[in-house]
């Protein structure tokens, strides 16, 4: 670690605007050490455990998988893969209840565990400094690590800022300000050295930022002591500040530790800061150093409806009902089951939902701990919500605009700067569920924006299509006008020019001239054939002489010609025989003694065409019938042969016969009609 990290000035803490002090209720889950529970019979691993695009399954039902094996690959940049938490068999890839306030189901991979907990072969790294930035990012990305403080943003994306974002400060969030939750607290107590190693790893990946800060609230004395001991001599500064909710929010923690504010609509990287959670830092270190993907996380299991309250290392995909059963859950005492804390968590519609990467707490409170919300009253305009808001917003104004569905005013009053911490609703004397209004309005605005973008894309497609059609029509009209002008010009030329001779007559004249030429006389044909015979005899004689001269010795007393020369002789003999045969045929033909030339094939074709044109309609139909009858006879013969040989093309042959029969009947009907007339 460079010396610049060890020259930190006296830590300064900037006060947080607003905030509240709800009862902490953290002691009950810290009475026992970090524990483990038995493997469940089934693991349910949702493909969507992070912000961004859901992962895509890469295993099939019936396939056996090992712990740490990738079972769903990331799909896109803002995505994260999913790994098997233990060994077993994939028994289903289907929709199952997930940990979401909507209560809807989503795509999940269900693994039946085999109690062996067999792992894939991991690839450790002794010296991560020997790897490139891209290789380290790839290790963290392939490990499926996402923000484990609640947001679930893929960690690799945060660790890869744009080139124009110079990171000056790395902040590790160990605040854990929400009541009941102590997962990060127990993690810092038990794995402080690994967390510090993870901070050094992230600093190396970010180009050694000048400030390395770990923010911890002062209500965690044991975690603070463990972290200060592990960070001694590393240049990493442990910043301790007063407990206040919601100081654990990313923007709020940045303001507390640096005095800087993230701009509206911006990211911490825009002001040179990267913020990571304690759990994410620990998971990144394990992924790089030991090659271990994210398959488990520390989760707080707390609430007076449980016999045992503590922190456990829970495998991802473990059904919550299995965890509750291991801690003596009494459903009759539980007012409602909450995933997360009482401020920002949400009620679970079913205990079948599984533990995911963002599950930091499972809260099973009694009615006394977390009573049902009282009916909301009219706003008394006390302004206490504005005083409690850590984002310096005007919750009362946002509430009114939400009721009126005035989305333009909501955006003008920076609705999306709300971190939904619930401080305003907690402090409201009228018990108005303000956060629910804000969440609903955010959803409506996002939907409107999505609809607007969809409409814009549709309009662009329509305009492009209209331009393309207009262009095609213009080109078509231009071609039509060009053809029209060409036709008019041709008519003009035809009207002014002399009468041209008939092209058919010209063609017949040319054919007749060729027939009368000396080249087509019988004498010329006979001389041509005789020259061909003489040439063939010369070639045969030459081939035989070469065969005699160039023989190959096969033994001492016998010479054998080469196969190539033998083939040449044979070919010459065939050529001679063919030339002699043609000459003999010509000498025997009638044309040999005639003075008129042999008829040209072109002239014969013209004669046949003229004869066909001279046929009457009745004669044409009769000729057509004869042709069809011949074709039908051949088609029936092919069908009979196919039937006897059980050919697979019988249907095609039968269809051909039926078509010919139908056409033959039509022509016969036409002939009958012509005959009757």
């Amino acid at each position: 670690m460079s010396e610049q990290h060890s020259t930190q000035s006296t830590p300064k803490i900037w006060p947080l605007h607003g905030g509240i002090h709800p009862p902490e209720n953290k002691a009950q889950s810290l009475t026992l050490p970090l524990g483990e529970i038995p493997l469940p019979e089934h693991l349910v691993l949702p493909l969507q455990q992070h912000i961004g695009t859901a992962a895509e399954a890469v295993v099939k039902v019936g396939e056996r998988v090992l712990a740490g094996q990738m079972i769903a690959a990331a799909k896109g940049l803002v995505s994260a893969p999913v790994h098997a938490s233990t060994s077993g068999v994939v028994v289903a890839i289907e929709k199952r209840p997930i940990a979401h306030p909507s209560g809807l189901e989503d795509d999940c991979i269900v693994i039946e565990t085999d109690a062996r907990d067999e792992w894939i072969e991991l690839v450790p790294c002794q010296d991560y400094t020997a790897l490139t930035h891209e290789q380290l990012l790839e290790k963290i990305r392939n490990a499926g690590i996402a923000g484990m403080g609640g947001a679930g943003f893929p960690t690799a994306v945060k660790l890869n800022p744009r080139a124009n974002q110079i990171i000056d400060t790395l902040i590790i969030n160990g605040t854990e300000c929400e009541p009941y939750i102590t997962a990060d607290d127990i993690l810092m107590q038990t794995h402080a050295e690994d967390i510090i190693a993870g901070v050094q790893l992230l600093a190396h990946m970010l180009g050694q930022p000048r400030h390395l800060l770990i923010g911890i609230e002062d209500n965690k004395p044991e975690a603070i002591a463990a972290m200060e001991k592990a960070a001694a001599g590393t240049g990493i500064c442990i910043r301790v500040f007063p407990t206040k909710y919601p100081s654990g929010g990313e923007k709020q923690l940045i303001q507390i530790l640096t005095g800087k504010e993230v701009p509206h609509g911006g990211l911490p990287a825009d002001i040179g800061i990267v913020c990571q959670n304690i759990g994410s830092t620990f998971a990144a270190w394990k992924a790089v150093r030991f090659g271990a993907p994210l398959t488990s996380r520390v989760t707080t299991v707390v609430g007076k409806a449980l016999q045992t309250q503590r922190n456990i290392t829970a495998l991802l995909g473990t059904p919550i009902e299995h965890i509750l059963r291991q801690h003596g859950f009494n459903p009759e005492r539980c007012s409602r089951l909450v995933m997360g804390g009482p401020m920002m968590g949400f009620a679970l519609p079913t205990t079948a939902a599984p533990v995911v990467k963002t599950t930091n707490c499972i809260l099973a409170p009694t009615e006394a701990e977390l009573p049902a919300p009282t009916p909301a009253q009219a706003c008394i305009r006390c302004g206490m919500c504005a005083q409690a808001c850590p984002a310096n917003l005007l919750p009362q104004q946002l509430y009114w605009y939400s009721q009126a569905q005035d989305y333009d005013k909501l955006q003008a009053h920076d609705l999306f700067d709300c971190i939904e911490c619930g401080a305003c609703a907690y402090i409201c004397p009228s018990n108005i569920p303000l956060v629910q209004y804000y969440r609903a309005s955010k959803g409506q605005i996002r939907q409107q924006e999505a609809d607007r973008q969809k409409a814009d894309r549709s309009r662009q497609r329509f305009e492009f299509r209209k331009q393309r059609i207009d262009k095609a029509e213009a080109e078509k009209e231009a071609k039509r006008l060009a053809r029209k002008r060409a036709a008019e010009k041709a008519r003009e030329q035809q009207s002014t020019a002399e009468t041209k001779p008939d092209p058919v007559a010209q063609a017949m004249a040319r054919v007749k001239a060729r027939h009368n030429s000396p080249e087509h006389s019988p004498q010329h044909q006979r001389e041509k054939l005789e020259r061909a015979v003489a040439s063939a005899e010369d070639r045969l004689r030459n081939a035989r002489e070469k065969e005699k001269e160039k023989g190959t010795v096969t033994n001492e007393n016998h010479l054998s010609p080469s196969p190539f020369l033998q083939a040449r002789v044979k070919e010459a003999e065939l050529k001679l025989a063919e030339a002699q045969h043609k000459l003999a045929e010509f000498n025997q033909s009638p044309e040999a003694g005639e003075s008129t030339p042999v008829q040209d094939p072109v002239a014969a074709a013209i004669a046949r065409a003229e004869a066909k044109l001279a046929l009457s309609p009745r004669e044409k139909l009769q000729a057509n019938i004869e042709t069809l009858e011949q074709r039908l006879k051949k088609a029936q013969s092919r069908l009979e042969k196919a039937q006897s040989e059980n050919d697979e093309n019988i249907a095609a042959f039968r269809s051909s016969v039926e078509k010919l029969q139908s056409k033959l009947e039509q022509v016969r009907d036409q002939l009958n009609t012509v005959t009757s007339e």
Side-chain angles (χ1 to χ4, degrees), residues 268-283:
D270 296 334
I271 57 174
I273 298 174
V274 168
C275 191
Q276 287 288 356
N277 173 261
I278 284 288
S280 304
T281 304
F282 176 62

Side-chain angles (χ1 to χ4, degrees), residues 416-530:
F416 283 90
D417 282 348
C418 171
I419 63 173
E420 302 178 15
C421 64
C424 55
Y426 180 84
I427 204 70
C428 179
S430 297
N431 300 312
I432 300 174
L434 297 170
V435 176
Q436 279 77 356
Y437 281 98
Y438 306 154
R439 285 175 179 167
S441 296
K442 286 182 180 180
Q444 290 293 331
I445 292 172
R446 290 190 183 101
Q447 185 61 47
Q448 284 186 353
E449 180 64 19
D451 293 342
R452 184 190 65 78
Q453 292 178 359
K454 183 178 180 181
D456 289 344
R457 290 193 295 269
S458 298
R459 187 185 67 255
Q460 291 173 359
R461 288 197 299 269
F462 172 77
E463 291 175 351
F464 177 77
R465 180 177 180 274
K466 189 173 183 300
Q467 292 176 358
R468 179 167 50 81
I469 292 175
D470 291 345
K471 181 180 179 181
E473 290 292 337
E475 292 176 351
K476 184 177 179 181
E477 180 65 16
K479 291 179 180 178
R480 188 187 68 80
L481 292 175
R483 289 195 301 270
K484 182 178 179 182
R485 287 193 295 268
E488 291 175 352
K489 185 177 180 180
R491 284 195 296 269
E492 291 175 358
Q493 292 176 350
Q494 184 176 6
S495 62
T496 57
E498 295 180 356
T499 305
K500 295 181 179 180
D502 185 12
V504 175
Q506 287 182 331
M508 295 182 68
R510 287 194 298 271
V511 171
K512 187 176 181 180
R514 285 200 303 270
H515 288 175
N516 295 330
S517 64
E519 295 179 355
H520 289 78
S521 65
Q523 182 63 25
H524 179 79
Q525 295 291 333
R526 182 182 293 106
E527 292 175 355
K528 183 178 179 181
L529 293 173
E530 289 174 349

Side-chain angles (χ1 to χ4, degrees), residues 589-608:
S589 65
E591 293 100 354
E594 295 178 358
S595 59
T596 58
V598 180
Q599 187 179 8
D600 187 78
V602 177
I606 293 174
R608 286 195 300 271

